């Protein structure tokens, strides 16, 4: 069974400090991994995905297949980064073409001014 | 363009009543997903639609839950004989295709409260 684990429910950092949000997964196969973010009173939205190897809003995430991790990092936290962050894995469901997301329980990031 | 929309935004109902939640996906998106976000359980997959293919219902928690997608567009999630444990935010998402790497775009959700 596929599973995503985010060990921290809450992470508080000071503005300008580095941020690392942890994510570990279990999946038998080649996973597709994502980070979604939900800002206060906004809808859930994609932040980045591993296949794109991109940096969005200063965030990066590297897929480590050996450690089955996909940690989200940012060198200098900003107040506007305060939000709920979800790590997600896309796995094939029971139907052809069914790629539902399996989410971790989320980490609430609070950036202290 | 318009994103995924859901209605109602809030629904309060009494235990035992039936409820219908509606989702309008992004125009042209062929894949549609329903998820549930509840305290303690996080975000859980419920059901998936793709074109005329049989839906993937593997995430539905009980036979009180059902969903339809009419004309390959609007979808309705129905919960019969609601229970207090059904209280949650129900999210709909759509994507332009059905690849594992496709971005899923989420609606604002319907907050369901069962008294």
């Amino acid at each position: 069974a596929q599973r995503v684990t985010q060990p921290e429910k809450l992470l508080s950092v000071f503005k300008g400090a580095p941020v690392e949000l942890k994510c570990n997964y279990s999946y038998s196969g080649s996973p597709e991994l994502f980070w979604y973010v939900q800002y206060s009173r906004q809808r859930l939205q994609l932040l980045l995905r591993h296949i794109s190897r991109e940096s969005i809003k200063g965030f990066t995430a590297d897929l480590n297949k050996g450690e089955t991790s996909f940690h989200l990092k940012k060198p200098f936290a900003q107040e506007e980064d305060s939000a709920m962050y979800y790590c997600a894995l896309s796995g094939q469901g029971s139907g052809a073409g069914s790629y539902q997301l399996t989410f971790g329980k989320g980490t609430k990031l609070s950036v202290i001014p | 363009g318009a994103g995924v929309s859901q209605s109602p935004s809030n629904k309060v109902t009494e235990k035992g009543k039936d409820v219908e939640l509606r989702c309008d996906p992004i125009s042209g998106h062929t894949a549609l997903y329903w998820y549930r976000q509840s305290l303690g359980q996080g975000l859980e997959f419920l059901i998936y639609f793709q074109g005329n293919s049989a839906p993937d219902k593997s995430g539905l928690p009980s036979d009180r839950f059902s969903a339809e997608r009419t004309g390959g567009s609007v979808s309705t999630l129905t919960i019969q004989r609601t229970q207090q444990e059904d209280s949650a935010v129900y999210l709909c998402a759509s994507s332009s295709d059905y690849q594992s790497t496709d971005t899923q775009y989420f609606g604002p959700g319907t907050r369901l409260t069962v008294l």
Side-chain angles (χ1 to χ4, degrees):
Chain A
Q2 54 207 44
R3 182 179 300 163
V4 177
T5 303
Q6 293 179 251
E8 303 137 329
K9 283 188 177 180
L10 174 65
L11 182 64
S12 296
V13 300
F14 285 101
K15 177 182 174 181
V19 176
E20 183 179 46
L21 301 171
K22 291 185 167 53
C23 172
N24 289 89
Y25 66 90
S26 64
Y27 183 71
S28 55
S30 295
E32 303 294 344
L33 285 156
F34 307 82
W35 278 97
Y36 278 80
V37 61
Q38 190 166 28
Y39 300 102
S40 179
R41 291 183 291 279
Q42 294 188 27
R43 63 184 68 189
L44 195 64
Q45 59 186 282
L46 177 69
L47 179 62
L48 56 79
R49 47 187 170 176
H50 93 271
I51 197 170
S52 301
R53 298 185 182 277
E54 58 202 343
S55 173
I56 303 294
K57 299 184 179 183
F59 285 97
T60 59
D62 290 319
L63 178 61
N64 185 322
K65 292 187 178 181
E67 296 182 357
T68 59
S69 68
F70 188 57
H71 303 327
L72 183 68
K73 300 177 184 179
K74 184 171 182 177
F76 308 103
Q78 302 299 314
E79 289 179 64
E80 56 265 31
D81 297 328
S82 294
M84 196 75 181
Y85 291 81
Y86 294 93
C87 183
L89 180 155
S90 176
Q92 187 155 8
S94 63
S98 174
Y99 292 109
Q100 72 264 29
L101 294 168
T102 297
F103 288 90
K105 297 205 170 177
T107 297
K108 183 175 182 179
L109 175 64
S110 178
V111 180
I112 305 163
Chain B
V4 177
S5 61
Q6 292 185 246
S7 60
S9 55
N10 280 285
K11 176 72 176 178
V12 180
T13 190
E14 293 179 348
K15 178 182 171 181
K17 295 284 179 68
D18 298 351
V19 295
E20 284 189 353
L21 312 179
R22 177 187 169 104
C23 171
D24 281 274
I26 293 173
S27 177
H29 278 193
T30 56
L32 187 148
Y33 298 83
W34 282 97
Y35 296 88
R36 177 169 70 173
Q37 186 174 28
S38 54
L39 287 174
Q41 295 299 319
L43 280 149
E44 305 170 283
F45 164 74
L46 296 176
I47 189 169
Y48 159 82
F49 294 92
Q50 169 61 35
N52 295 321
S53 302
D56 176 359
K57 304 179 183 180
S58 60
L60 294 179
S62 78
D63 58 8
R64 296 186 295 104
F65 288 72
S66 62
E68 290 184 338
R69 189 178 184 191
T70 53
S73 180
V74 171
S75 177
T76 302
L77 177 69
T78 300
I79 309 173
Q80 295 179 310
R81 305 181 302 281
T82 52
Q83 303 294 313
Q84 288 182 333
E85 61 262 29
D86 299 335
S87 295
V89 176
Y90 289 82
L91 296 174
C92 176
S94 70
S95 65
S96 59
D97 209 328
Y98 50 96
Q99 303 298 320
S100 61
T101 55
D102 286 336
T103 299
Q104 293 185 24
Y105 295 87
F106 283 81
T110 293
R111 181 175 296 277
L112 175 66
T113 303
V114 182
L115 301 177

